[in-house]
């Protein structure tokens, strides 16, 4: 069943006609990486302390849709959507703001992610299981905290639980296909063997955390939102989704409501398309 699910997701991403950007004559997203976490993993409860008490456990997400006491355990399916190299290169060439291709990707991602989630939920239902995409629930929220925006279903933390990678100094999630990615996930009552989380810390894939070298993303940020002390989410948020970003998105023919994004810290960096620490023993 693990392979069946993986293949279904791969096929959807690679064969979807929507997954096509005219400007590069190629796909927005390359072949996805799919991994599985047990919904019983104690880490999901720990996220209530690490992130916020309001962060949903898989059980809470499932039951908010299917009703109280409807969940008896199962699996969280976490998906990495690697960004096409041509889009990454276009953003790597930029110094002050997002490239046109990156902004169009920003406009495209939410709809594609929702379509993929629905497809996976339907696929599981046809096999006799129930499933839900927490980030598409009415209960999903993005809210302000003193340190910046947060959400009650953090895809990066879900991906960490599934063993897909770890965080960088800039908060970005670094996978085997690098940091220039998008993430999505689905919770199901189908029980599968979970993937093993090999990382010894939640920052292992970042060169700066691992051995004190790098910091390339610090230099790339146009608004100095990253330092050796971490990522200033408020500075980043103002730049990534502020007025200038909205105007830029409009000028590019993107979606001014969601802005252009930025992602300069995710391109032209050693962790762009790979896990840069994979070479270390
Ligand atoms: C709110 C939000 C933002 C905010 C805040 C980001 C943040 N760091 O949380 C702002 C506006 C700044 C932002 C900016 C961007 N975002 Co954004 N954003 C989100 C959103 C909606 C929620 C994030 C969230 O819930 N964060 C929760 C907090 C708690 O996370 P955190 O503070 O980083 O967590 C730290 C602690 O938990 C700490 N920690 C301490 N102890 C421990 C122990 C353990 C065990 C663990 C695991 C962690 C841990 O480590 C973490 C990293 O430092 C997600 C979508 C989603 N539903 O997840 C997208 C998402 C995170 N964004 C994404 C992207 C692409 C971007 C941008 C590149 C914009 C763009 N499109 O061009 C920039 C990049 C900024 C950056 N340097 O990472 C991608 C992530 C891609 C990636 N490789 O990481 C996501 C997942 C969207 C998606 N569906 O793919 N974003
Ligand atoms: S660019 Fe370097 S310091 Fe920044 S997240 Fe990637 S590996 Fe870490
Ligand atoms: S997304 Fe842009 S503004 Fe935000 S930290 Fe990265 S480079 Fe800086």
């Amino acid at each position: 069943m693990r392979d069946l699910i993986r293949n279904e997701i791969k096929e959807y991403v690679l064969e979807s006609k929507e997954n096509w950007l005219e400007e590069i004559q190629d796909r927005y997203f390359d072949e996805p990486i799919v991994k599985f976490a047990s919904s019983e993993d104690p880490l999901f409860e720990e996220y209530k302390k690490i992130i916020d008490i309001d962060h949903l456990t898989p059980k809470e997400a499932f039951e908010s849709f299917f009703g109280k006491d409807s969940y008896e355990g199962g699996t969280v399916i976490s998906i990495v959507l690697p960004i096409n190299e041509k889009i990454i290169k276009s953003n790597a060439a930029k110094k002050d703001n997002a490239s046109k291709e990156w902004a169009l990707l920003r406009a495209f991602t939410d709809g594609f992610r929702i379509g993929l989630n629905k497809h996976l939920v339907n696929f599981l239902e046809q096999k006799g299981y129930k499933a839900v995409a927490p980030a598409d629930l009415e209960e999903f929220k993005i809210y302000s905290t003193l340190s910046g925006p947060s959400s009650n279903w953090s895809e990066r933390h879900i991906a960490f639980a599934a063993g897909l990678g770890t965080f960088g100094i800039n908060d970005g999630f670094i996978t085997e296909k690098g940091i220039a990615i998008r993430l999505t996930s689905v919770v199901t009552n189908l029980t599968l063997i979970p993937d093993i989380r090999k990382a010894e810390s939640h920052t292992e894939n970042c060169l700066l955390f691992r051995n004190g070298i790098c910091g390339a993303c610090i230099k790339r940020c146009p608004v100095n939102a990253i330092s050796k002390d971490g990522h200033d989410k408020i500075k980043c948020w103002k730049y990534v989704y502020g007025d200038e970003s909205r105007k830029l998105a409009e000028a590019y023919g993107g979606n001014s409501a969601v802005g252009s994004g930025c992602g300069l810290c995710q391109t032209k960096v050693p962790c762009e398309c790979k896990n840069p620490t994979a070479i270390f023993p």
Side-chain angles (χ1 to χ4, degrees), residues 22-150:
E22 279 305 314
E23 275 74 2
I24 57 165
Q25 285 297 301
D26 210 340
R27 296 186 189 101
Y28 281 99
F29 293 118
D30 290 338
E31 185 173 317
I33 317 172
V34 181
K35 286 199 176 182
F36 307 93
S38 164
S39 54
E40 312 300 297
D41 190 322
L43 192 53
F44 292 116
E45 267 307 321
E46 282 175 44
Y47 283 159
K48 290 200 176 283
K49 289 191 202 122
I50 294 169
I51 305 173
D52 189 90
I53 186 78
D54 279 350
H55 197 269
L56 298 167
T57 61
K59 180 177 165 66
E60 285 167 342
F62 188 93
E63 293 192 349
S64 75
F65 190 74
F66 291 107
K68 200 170 177 291
D69 299 331
S70 58
Y71 200 53
E72 288 171 356
T75 304
V76 185
I77 304 168
S78 180
I79 305 168
V80 176
L81 297 166
I83 297 170
N84 187 301
E85 203 191 334
K86 292 175 193 166
I87 301 179
I88 295 174
K89 277 197 176 145
S90 73
N91 216 45
K94 299 282 289 179
K95 287 186 177 147
D96 300 323
N97 49 30
S99 68
K100 179 177 183 181
E101 292 81 353
W102 192 271
L104 294 176
L105 168 79
R106 166 77 194 121
F108 172 76
T109 300
D110 285 346
F112 185 72
R113 198 185 51 68
I114 291 169
L116 167 60
N117 292 345
K118 277 190 184 148
H119 181 80
L120 181 55
V121 166
N122 288 341
F123 173 79
L124 289 163
E125 274 171 8
Q126 279 163 23
K127 302 274 173 219
Y129 303 98
K130 287 182 178 163
V132 69
D136 302 336
L137 285 170
E138 264 178 39
E139 284 74 8
F140 175 73
K141 57 178 182 180
I142 298 173
Y143 57 95
S144 298
T145 73
L146 286 177
S147 60
S150 193

Side-chain angles (χ1 to χ4, degrees), residues 170 217 220-226 231-232 235-237 239-240 261-266:
N170 59 16
C217 56
R220 282 282 282 159
C221 180
V223 291
N224 299 319
I226 315 165
H231 176 223
D232 182 332
K235 255 191 193 174
C236 175
W237 167 67
Y239 188 69
V240 170
C262 167
L264 294 188
C265 60
Q266 315 206 330

Side-chain angles (χ1 to χ4, degrees), residues 193-211:
I193 297 170
D195 282 288
I196 296 163
R197 199 163 48 241
K198 291 192 194 123
E200 283 174 17
S201 82
H202 69 280
T203 55
E204 193 176 279
N205 293 354
C206 173
L207 286 168
L208 193 62
F209 279 122
R210 181 82 174 249
N211 56 13

Side-chain angles (χ1 to χ4, degrees), residues 102 151 153 155-157 167 170-171 173 179 183 233 262:
W102 192 271
S151 80
W153 185 259
E155 299 289 2
R156 305 198 250 211
H157 290 78
F167 294 81
N170 59 16
D171 284 348
F173 192 73
I179 197 169
L183 295 164
K233 294 180 209 171
C262 167

